[in-house]
Structures are given as C-alpha cells and as structure tokens.
Amino acid sequence: CLIIGSGLGGLSCGALLARHGFAVTVLEQGAQAGGCLQSFVRAGAKFETGMHFVGSADPGQAFRRLLHGFELDELPLERLDPAAYDVITLGRDEFPWANGAEAFVESLARSFPAERDGLHRYMQLVENIAAASPLRATTASDAALQAMMDYRLRSVDEVVGTLVRDPILRRVLVGNAPLYAGRFGHTPFTSHAFITDFYNRSAFRIVGGSEQMAERLVRSIENRGGRVETRHRVVKIAHDGVNATGVYTANGQFFPADCVIAAVHPRRVLEMLGEGAPFRPAYRRRIAALPQTVGCFTVYLDFLPEKVPYLRSNHYVYPAGNPWHCDEYTAEDWPRGYLYMHLCPTAGAKYAQTAEIIGYMRYEEVAQWANTNIMKRGEAYEKFKHDRAERLINAVEQHAPGLRESIDCYFTSTPLTYEQYTSTKEGSMYGVAKDVKLGSACHVPSRTRIPNLFFAGQNVNSHGMLGTLVGTLVTCGEVLGDKLKL
C-alpha cells in the first residue's frame, strides 16, 4: 500500500493497514512527517501547527478507544478545566462551558435560567446525533441514524434557533465555530454536534506537543516493516486505465503499489492522475468546484519566564458579540473574533511558556504572494504579517491586560504557510467545507472509480482530529472489508 501524505489521515491509515499485514510506504513532500500534527521550534520555544487539543479521552470514551486501537495509549495528556474547558466571550461577557451534559446545561443556565429546558433539548440532540457517528454506528439506534441524516441538511443556526429563544444564548452555543469553520446558513448541524460532543465529554491538551502522535504512528508503521519517506513529493499517480499501479515523485523515482491511498486534497489527486484517468467530466467539475473552509492567521507567542499563569481553558473571543460572519471581515474591523490558548509544556505547569492566537484570514489577502517561497516572500509580506500580528495582540490585550509586556518574541503564519506545508487548497483550515445548500455535492467518498485508489483525511468524512480518524476507519474499511479490526 502506497500512501500519499503523512498527516494524521495518512499515518493512521498506514499504521492500521500495517497491523493488518500490508507492506506500507508513506510518502511525504516535506522534511517532517505529521502534517498538522507537527510542532516547530523557534528561538528555543515549541509551538503546535494545527492540532491543539483533543476530546473524549477518558476511559471508555471514543477517542480513548481510538488511542488504544492506534497504539497511542501512552500519549501524555493534561486535562483542561472541567468547569470551563472552553470559555466563550461575547463583548465583555464570559460564558464557561463545563464538561458533561448536565454540567454544561447548569453552567449556562446560571446566565440563562429561563432556557434550562432548551439547553437540555440542545444537549440531548447533540448526543443523539453523535451516537450515530461511524465510531458507534454498529450500536446506534435507527432513530439516531435517521437524526444524523436529517440534520446533515439543516444548518447550525437554524437548528439552534429552534431549541433556544434567547438570541445571546444562541450565539454562545455556536462560540466554538472556529473548530469547524462554521458559516451562518451553510454549515450542517451534524458538524457542530460531532465536535461539540467530542470535547464536551472530556477535553485535554497533549503535554509537550502533538508531534508525539506523529512520532508514535511512524514507529508503529516502521516496527511492522513499513516506511515513512520524507522529501518525496508525489507528482503523478500511474494507472493502466483500470487500476493504479504506483506513483512517481518529483525526482523521477517510481514506487509500485497494489493499493494507493491519497491523504491529500482531492483536487491534487486529480492533478496527479492527469486527463487519462477514468473519471467523468462532471466528477472533475464537481471536485474542482468544492468549497473550501476559510484559512487562518496565527500568532505564536513566546512568553518571558514565569510571567503568565497557565490557562486550562480555550478562549473564543468575539469583541462585537457575534461568532457568525467572522470570515466576512473588512480591512477596518479585522479581527472579528479569535481563539486564544496556551500550549502545555509539562504536566502540572503553573506558568505558560507559549501561546497561540488564531483568527480567520481569507486567501485573497495573501494571494499576491502565492508564487513566492516561505521565508522569502519579501518586505511587503513581512509588513503585512507584522500589522496583523499587532492587531491580534492588541485584541487579546483588551481581554487580558498586561499580556503584551509578558511577550519575549512572537512568530506568525498565514494561509500561504498552510498551503505550502499541507498542500490544502488555498491553505484552508479544514479542507473541503460541508454546506447544507450543496448537500451531497460536498461529499467526498473514500472510494473512487479506480478500484484500488482511495481518499483519506479530513476531506473524506469531517473536520479535525475526530473527523480524520473516523475517515481513516471508513477508508481502511473499504480496503479491508470485514477484516478490519481496531
């Protein structure tokens, strides 16, 4: 089995198929395996690139079972504050989210006592839909499966609006929208429900950096005779008109394969196949027209020693009080919202060493530098990044006075950075967007018209770590059939 891309989707597919006896080779275009699991070091400080926290990792919960299935049991985790794992700030008002359905309802009912029944209905619906995910589909009731299908076609804002009356509470309940790049009137309620349930059951950060997941998955592949090769950019998928026969890399090397799994954006896969592949023009047009989630601008903060107490909460802040339409900002009112969080350097840390501020950024803002190389984009690009970084830091300073004087130095990334490292279209945060207005046209099945070529990664199923790993189970299920065991 030849796997293109060493992000979470590619590595998890590789580890699972290696356990089932496949000779696995993973090819990665970059210098480091892991995709958005990577961490990087600047000025002696370590930063995450995309995978910042995990959920449902207590014994018996969904992610804990996945960790065991992928031999990641020893991954070091630090629990976020169970009473406020996420804090939603609208204007100057803070609303903590507590772990567990009952605690979640009670934490918000303190601010919205008249909405207690609506909050119970909301959490019950979230749990019912999450129960029908592929992780639990073998035990899901017919009612749960039907609910999941129905709510794929209803937007988050529409459904929340039917459950609670208070307009402020409606906004609080969608305050975690950056976790799935939610869009008003477009994002399916199922995307919101899966992710909200995932973190509400329990929430953790990975102590010391998410690259440990990548390192463990690489070892799992290599311990079974497989290979993970970096600096191998796949430029062509070879086929005989019926089956894929292997891939060519940029240096002309050919890797034969009985099975090819592409854990990269589907548009890139069609480019690698060329015009002779057995795909209808309508399919090519649909893939080319797939909507992308918005990109992001990130500021990576390196703090002075023992200056900033470590926060065990993720802070979603909306200065104007509205989580929706943050991607529709103007040059004058950016950022309309941001996510601020600390990274976990050691277990039981008292002080933060590093933090990240993430705000939406549309690709059009950086498109003029698209054909330049990283670290060599020129003075205008650096000035643009400096301006945006200062604006984000100023925004956080309004919420957390004294932050600026605690910063030793900072670094930045834009959608161009993501595009270069992950090959995702326009550096989007989560790849292909799900859209109720387009329905199944946004769906990318793992199986293709080429019988031994499959898609994997977050574009196949849903966004984020949970969606990617569920996508892995779907893809490997297509390859292995009834033989799949986790």
Side-chain angles (χ1 to χ4, degrees):
C1 181
L2 190 292
I3 298 174
I4 306 170
S6 73
L8 177 60
L11 291 179
S12 58
C13 282
L16 191 52
L17 292 177
R19 281 177 51 193
H20 284 77
F22 277 75
V24 171
T25 299
V26 181
L27 299 182
E28 164 59 42
Q29 67 172 358
Q32 181 180 346
C36 286
L37 290 177
Q38 294 179 48
S39 297
F40 67 93
V41 176
R42 293 286 186 277
K46 180 184 285 187
F47 301 96
E48 311 274 16
T49 59
M51 212 295 296
H52 301 100
F53 44 94
V54 301
S56 294
D58 273 332
Q61 294 179 349
F63 189 63
R64 174 60 65 179
R65 296 196 299 273
L66 287 173
L67 289 176
H68 177 73
F70 286 104
E71 302 178 322
L72 297 168
D73 302 81
E74 302 305 314
L75 195 68
L77 301 177
E78 179 89 345
R79 190 182 299 275
L80 292 173
D81 183 356
Y85 65 97
D86 281 349
V87 178
I88 312 301
T89 300
L90 305 182
R92 294 189 176 276
D93 297 323
E94 292 188 348
F95 303 94
W97 287 12
N99 282 127
E102 288 300 321
F104 180 91
V105 169
E106 291 306 314
S107 68
L108 292 180
R110 295 188 191 103
S111 299
F112 305 95
E115 291 284 10
R116 182 176 269 103
D117 289 345
L119 285 164
H120 277 295
R121 290 193 298 270
Y122 165 80
M123 285 306 295
Q124 185 63 59
L125 181 58
V126 164
E127 291 183 330
N128 286 347
I129 291 173
S133 78
L135 286 176
R136 310 176 197 170
T138 55
T139 59
S141 67
D142 290 341
L145 291 169
Q146 185 60 51
M148 182 182 71
M149 297 302 295
D150 292 344
Y151 284 95
R152 277 182 176 171
L153 302 176
R154 299 179 63 186
S155 68
V156 181
D157 52 286
E158 179 209 341
V159 175
V160 171
T162 66
L163 298 171
V164 298
R165 295 182 299 275
D166 191 293
I168 303 301
L169 179 56
R170 291 176 182 177
R171 293 179 176 184
V172 171
L173 292 176
V174 299
N176 66 344
L179 297 183
Y180 50 91
R183 294 186 63 217
F184 188 88
H186 292 269
T187 301
F189 185 77
T190 49
S191 297
H192 170 85
F194 288 144
I195 290 171
T196 298
D197 179 79
F198 180 60
Y199 291 107
N200 182 254
R201 292 182 180 273
S202 59
F204 301 82
R205 292 188 181 128
I206 299 177
V207 180
S210 58
E211 83 279 2
Q212 295 172 87
M213 282 193 73
E215 292 168 355
R216 284 166 165 77
L217 289 169
V218 169
R219 283 201 298 271
S220 179
I221 293 169
E222 293 178 341
N223 288 343
R224 291 178 170 85
R227 298 182 295 162
V228 178
E229 303 282 356
T230 58
R231 303 183 189 276
H232 280 71
R233 181 168 64 90
V234 175
V235 295
K236 181 180 179 181
I237 299 173
H239 59 90
D240 58 12
V242 177
N243 291 302
T245 56
V247 304
Y248 287 94
T249 57
N251 65 0
Q253 189 172 354
F254 179 69
F255 290 82
D258 300 306
C259 169
V260 176
I261 294 177
V264 295
H265 197 283
R267 188 178 300 185
R268 287 283 300 117
V269 177
L270 291 186
E271 292 170 358
M272 294 172 185
L273 284 165
E275 293 299 324
F279 290 100
R280 296 190 180 100
Y283 177 81
R284 290 180 178 274
R285 288 194 296 269
R286 184 172 74 81
I287 294 298
L290 286 171
Q292 310 303 311
T293 53
V294 68
C296 67
F297 181 85
T298 303
V299 180
Y300 307 89
L301 305 176
D302 181 9
F303 292 130
L304 294 166
E306 298 187 0
K307 286 288 187 179
V308 179
Y310 176 67
L311 295 177
R312 289 175 169 78
S313 303
N314 305 310
H315 289 261
Y316 304 79
V317 182
Y318 304 95
N322 191 358
W324 294 121
H325 311 294
C326 291
D327 60 333
E328 299 172 17
Y329 59 85
T330 67
E332 290 73 29
D333 70 2
W334 185 91
R336 292 186 179 181
Y338 61 85
L339 169 58
Y340 172 66
M341 62 195 150
H342 291 170
L343 308 184
C344 186
T346 58
K350 293 183 178 180
Y351 292 94
Q353 296 179 10
T354 56
E356 295 182 15
I357 318 169
I358 304 174
Y360 287 152
M361 178 170 282
R362 299 190 299 268
Y363 188 78
E364 65 194 55
E365 293 229 64
V366 293
Q368 62 181 300
W369 297 290
N371 295 320
T372 60
N373 293 322
I374 196 164
M375 306 299 289
K376 298 178 181 179
R377 304 197 195 278
E379 183 178 344
Y381 180 71
E382 296 301 323
K383 184 177 183 299
F384 168 82
K385 292 199 300 176
H386 176 77
D387 171 73
R388 292 310 175 93
E390 290 295 311
R391 290 166 70 173
L392 263 183
I393 293 171
N394 287 339
V396 179
E397 179 79 13
Q398 297 298 312
H399 176 69
L403 175 80
R404 183 179 288 278
E405 64 187 28
S406 302
I407 299 171
D408 184 22
C409 58
Y410 67 77
F411 310 92
T412 60
S413 67
T414 75
L416 287 181
T417 318
Y418 272 73
E419 185 177 49
Q420 177 137 356
Y421 280 107
T422 69
S423 288
T424 189
K425 173 67 176 172
E426 297 184 348
S428 64
M429 294 173 69
Y430 303 111
V432 173
K434 306 299 185 287
D435 192 330
V436 296
K437 295 184 183 299
L438 297 176
S440 61
C442 291
H443 178 59
V444 179
S446 58
R447 182 176 289 279
T448 74
R449 288 179 64 85
I450 296 178
N452 64 339
L453 172 65
F454 304 89
F455 289 125
Q458 65 182 3
N459 294 301
V460 169
N461 178 69
S462 188
H463 304 318
M465 170 171 286
L466 178 65
T468 298
L469 289 176
V470 170
T472 288
L473 299 182
V474 172
T475 298
C476 290
E478 294 283 3
V479 176
L480 296 167
D482 294 339
K483 297 178 182 178
L484 175 63
K485 293 181 181 180
L486 186 62

